[in-house]
Amino acid sequence: MPTVTVDQSGTFLTLDVPSGPMRFHAIWLRDNAQDSETRAAANGQRLIALRDIPADTWIEAAEITGRGALNVRFAPEGKSVSFDLAWLEAHAYDHAVPARRGWLEDGVETWDAGLMANVPCGDFEVLQQGGAALHDWLGQIMRYGFAKVVGAPATPGTLFDIVGLFGHVRETNYGRHFEVRTEVNPSNLAFTGLGLQAHTDNPYRDPVPTVQVLHCLESSAAGGENMVVDGFAAALRLRAEDPEGFELLANHCARFEYSGEDGVCLTSRRPMIELAPDGALIGLRFNNRSCAAITDVPFELMADYYAAYRRLGEIIDDTAMEVTFRLNPGEAFVVDNTRVLHARKGYSGEGTRWLQGCYADMDGLRSTHDGMARTTALEAAE
């Protein structure tokens, strides 16, 4: 049976549950009250601001009821609030902060070439029906940072239907979508069959598009396989080999630029390895074609910075890190553009390759996934 004790100061309480003790501050509990005066029942949004809660809020009493709830009475308001124990356990913050920078959030799984035997994938017609299949496919993108789609029509514009499974197209200066046409022995070098180094797209934007979709319409050329690399795995490998180099790429900004169109000059100033303030690894920006002159690294560190930059590129280029697959007409893949780098092998022989691409964002994808999970949980509880 869970128990609760209130500190003599009343500024926090300790909740003892089977998973261990958890402390909660009075002000945190009051701010997160779920009662109708504090939260709107329809959408869960707060009806009050922090200024409406007394700064000297303290816990006057607390007890656990037989219904698995924690009742807390706050002073000086004299207000009583009931908290669900499972909700408190799910939102506990009384835990050790990871000591090492570059830690990964729960649910994220790094990978290398070994994932090629089990590439995350979903059938388009099945995904359109929603339900568990769509939820699981979205979950795989959140876990691995990418997934394929098979069985879609090989018709222009289908990529918008793929985005519609989870979110909305993010329009850029390239339009709502862009064409990727490649011809072997082309009449114009713009339609080149050369391979591309693994990269993240649009690092010169701030914020970057966090999802990219590529959908294949034609594929008659030999070669041209698509390749993906887990940027998180690459960054953590660099950290293991060269902790100082990892810190250099995380602590100093690179600069990225694109000005290939009249009236367009996109620039950003962000680190190649991006960490949250608490040290969580949250993103990579790596694109040799769009990297501008790096001017934010001190003179005495520049040589070491470039050595770390080179080594990260070598790790990304290592075939042991890559998963390759061929996109056939009607197939697509979706990547988390803040994490997974993508590339294309070179073409040879005769034929054509035509893909359409567009951008979207991970917030919509996560919202769809989590909204489905919440609905399923509510239905199961009824």
Side-chain angles (χ1 to χ4, degrees):
M1 180 70 180
T3 60
V4 62
T5 56
V6 179
D7 183 73
Q8 282 187 334
S9 66
T11 58
F12 71 91
L13 60 75
T14 301
L15 186 63
D16 275 300
V17 295
S19 60
M22 301 175 294
R23 293 172 297 178
F24 297 92
H25 287 92
I27 190 65
W28 186 95
L29 289 166
R30 178 63 186 90
D31 186 44
N32 285 282
Q34 305 294 311
D35 65 290
S36 60
E37 295 176 347
T38 307
R39 299 269 183 170
N43 53 42
Q45 293 187 314
R46 282 186 179 85
L47 298 171
I48 62 174
L50 189 58
R51 65 173 179 267
D52 299 315
I53 301 173
D56 59 346
T57 291
W58 54 281
I59 300 169
E60 193 172 37
E63 64 174 351
I64 294 176
T65 70
R67 296 183 177 182
L70 172 68
N71 286 344
V72 181
R73 187 167 68 253
F74 296 98
E77 291 178 279
K79 182 181 182 63
S80 294
V81 177
S82 180
F83 295 89
D84 179 74
L85 292 180
W87 186 93
L88 287 172
E89 192 165 0
H91 293 83
Y93 58 91
D94 187 15
H95 48 72
V97 176
R100 193 173 191 189
R101 281 158 51 92
W103 59 275
L104 299 175
E105 296 185 10
D106 291 342
V108 174
E109 184 174 333
T110 58
W111 47 269
D112 55 21
L115 189 61
M116 206 167 336
N118 191 26
V119 172
C121 188
D123 182 272
F124 181 67
E125 291 188 2
V126 177
L127 296 177
Q128 283 187 306
Q129 298 172 21
L134 177 60
H135 182 262
D136 292 346
W137 180 75
L138 296 173
Q140 289 184 89
I141 297 174
M142 293 169 61
R143 177 172 293 276
Y144 299 112
F146 82 103
K148 284 183 64 179
V149 177
V150 298
T155 54
T158 297
L159 78 169
F160 298 138
D161 296 325
I162 294 173
V163 172
L165 294 170
F166 60 82
H168 307 279
V169 171
R170 176 169 166 185
E171 188 167 354
T172 70
N173 58 295
Y174 303 125
R176 293 194 75 229
H177 80 285
F178 51 90
E179 306 286 347
V180 184
R181 290 181 181 270
T182 305
E183 300 175 4
V184 179
N185 300 320
S187 59
N188 189 308
L189 289 179
F191 304 129
T192 177
L194 296 176
L196 300 173
Q197 184 184 30
H199 60 281
T200 59
D201 257 31
N202 291 203
Y204 39 77
R205 296 187 192 280
D206 201 357
V208 298
T210 51
V211 170
Q212 180 174 8
V213 179
L214 283 172
H215 174 236
C216 182
L217 300 174
E218 295 180 6
S219 177
S220 60
E225 291 85 359
N226 291 94
M227 177 179 76
V228 288
V229 175
D230 186 354
F232 284 2
L236 294 179
R237 182 172 159 185
L238 175 67
R239 186 187 69 177
E241 295 181 7
D242 180 10
E244 292 79 12
F246 175 90
E247 292 294 336
L248 282 170
L249 297 185
N251 291 340
H252 299 279
C253 286
R255 290 181 182 251
F256 302 92
E257 181 177 330
Y258 174 78
S259 55
E261 304 172 40
D262 290 340
V264 175
C265 185
L266 292 161
T267 60
S268 72
R269 176 180 173 271
R270 291 285 180 173
M272 291 190 187
I273 297 175
E274 189 167 3
L275 305 179
D278 60 3
L281 177 56
I282 58 174
L284 252 74
R285 295 195 190 209
F286 188 90
N287 189 318
N288 65 297
R289 289 168 292 140
S290 301
C291 194
I294 297 170
T295 58
D296 297 278
V297 180
F299 176 87
E300 61 272 14
L301 297 177
M302 187 64 82
D304 291 336
Y305 181 94
Y306 260 89
Y309 177 16
R310 178 186 297 273
R311 184 55 189 150
L312 179 60
E314 291 171 345
I315 292 171
I316 288 168
D317 290 341
D318 186 352
T319 56
M321 301 293 290
E322 71 183 45
V323 168
T324 60
F325 49 84
R326 182 176 179 82
L327 282 184
N328 295 310
E331 297 181 347
F333 73 97
V334 179
V335 295
D336 177 348
N337 189 50
T338 66
R339 170 185 174 183
V340 173
L341 304 96
H342 65 281
R344 183 193 69 211
K345 302 289 188 180
Y347 291 89
S348 62
E350 298 180 352
T352 61
R353 186 77 159 166
W354 178 23
L355 295 90
Q356 288 187 323
C358 70
Y359 299 114
D361 284 297
M362 282 296 293
D363 60 349
L365 191 150
R366 284 192 299 267
S367 173
T368 301
H369 175 271
D370 294 349
M372 295 178 73
R374 179 170 296 183
T375 298
T376 300
L378 290 174
E379 290 175 348
E382 292 178 353

